[in-house]
Amino acid sequence: MRKIGIYPGTFDPITFGHIDIIKKSLKIVDKLIVATTDNSEKDYFFNIDERLQILNNSLFKDLNMDKRKIKIISFNDLTVKLCKKYKASIIIRGLRAVSDFEYEFQLAGMNKKLDKSIETIFLMSEIQNEIISSKFIKEIAHLKGNLKKFVTKSVIKSINNKIE
């Protein structure tokens, strides 16, 4: 039986930290669904269509990742409902620091209460990527800093187009 995992997030924008988690996830699951949320309560830098395009460009054009193993979608529902829809048994969550753990632990517990057949797996990005956050990326970009160590070429281009 194929293992399908869902990696949900805002990816506003996707960073090398996210990409690190995606690469590690592909060692665990046969198919990974990268799901970007369109939660109306959040104030996004990129709209949902832009984020979907950036995800596609970063993963498939910049990094030449396998389209047969990764599916990119948008959603605005409970992650456990998304799991049912795609027959996924695993939710992937990335951890950067201990400060992420408490929220992620609570979220995993709530998802388990909603559907006990779905497991949450926490993955750590490599040390050089632990400090990267989408929030910092946007701040560095607004201050005209160099983003090459943090995001792919497609992300840099999209950010520059948005800021100009």
Side-chain angles (χ1 to χ4, degrees):
M1 185 164 97
R2 290 182 55 187
K3 282 197 189 285
I4 300 170
I6 294 196
Y7 181 29
T10 56
F11 306 107
D12 188 34
I14 187 169
T15 70
F16 285 142
H18 295 123
I19 292 165
D20 206 354
I21 300 300
I22 290 168
K23 288 177 179 178
K24 289 179 178 192
S25 298
L26 291 172
K27 295 176 183 177
I28 298 168
V29 299
D30 301 305
K31 177 89 172 180
L32 182 66
I33 297 163
V34 178
T36 183
T37 183
D38 194 22
N39 183 340
S40 61
E41 294 176 20
K42 290 199 175 190
D43 185 27
Y44 296 106
F45 184 70
F46 293 107
N47 68 40
I48 192 66
D49 293 327
E50 291 169 327
R51 283 183 280 133
L52 289 168
Q53 188 64 50
I54 292 166
L55 281 164
N56 275 289
N57 288 342
S58 290
L59 299 179
F60 303 131
K61 289 183 180 176
D62 294 343
L63 301 172
N64 201 28
M65 296 181 91
D66 191 344
K67 286 185 179 183
R68 294 169 298 174
K69 292 187 172 204
I70 300 170
K71 180 178 182 72
I72 297 170
I73 63 163
S74 65
F75 77 108
N76 59 3
D77 206 346
L78 291 171
T79 305
V80 292
K81 286 186 180 180
L82 196 63
C83 288
K84 285 292 181 206
K85 179 178 179 179
Y86 288 96
K87 297 179 175 70
S89 59
I90 299 169
I91 297 171
I92 305 287
R93 298 298 295 174
L95 295 175
R96 286 182 302 234
V98 174
S99 58
D100 290 344
F101 183 75
E102 186 173 345
Y103 170 77
E104 293 294 344
F105 182 77
Q106 290 174 337
L107 187 60
M110 291 303 290
N111 284 331
K112 193 68 167 175
K113 279 280 200 195
L114 290 167
D115 190 330
K116 62 183 171 212
S117 70
I118 298 169
E119 295 295 335
T120 298
I121 295 177
F122 300 110
L123 296 174
M124 301 283 298
S125 58
E126 293 298 318
I127 291 171
Q128 67 270 20
N129 294 322
E130 284 179 0
I131 50 115
I132 303 172
S133 74
S134 296
K135 179 183 173 190
F136 288 147
I137 298 306
K138 291 177 274 197
E139 192 172 327
I140 292 167
H142 281 295
L143 297 171
K144 307 285 189 234
N146 188 337
L147 295 173
K148 288 181 183 173
K149 294 180 182 176
F150 309 113
V151 295
T152 66
K153 291 177 185 178
S154 292
V155 174
I156 293 170
K157 183 177 178 183
S158 297
I159 289 172
N160 289 338
N161 289 341
K162 190 88 165 175
I163 290 175
E164 291 174 1

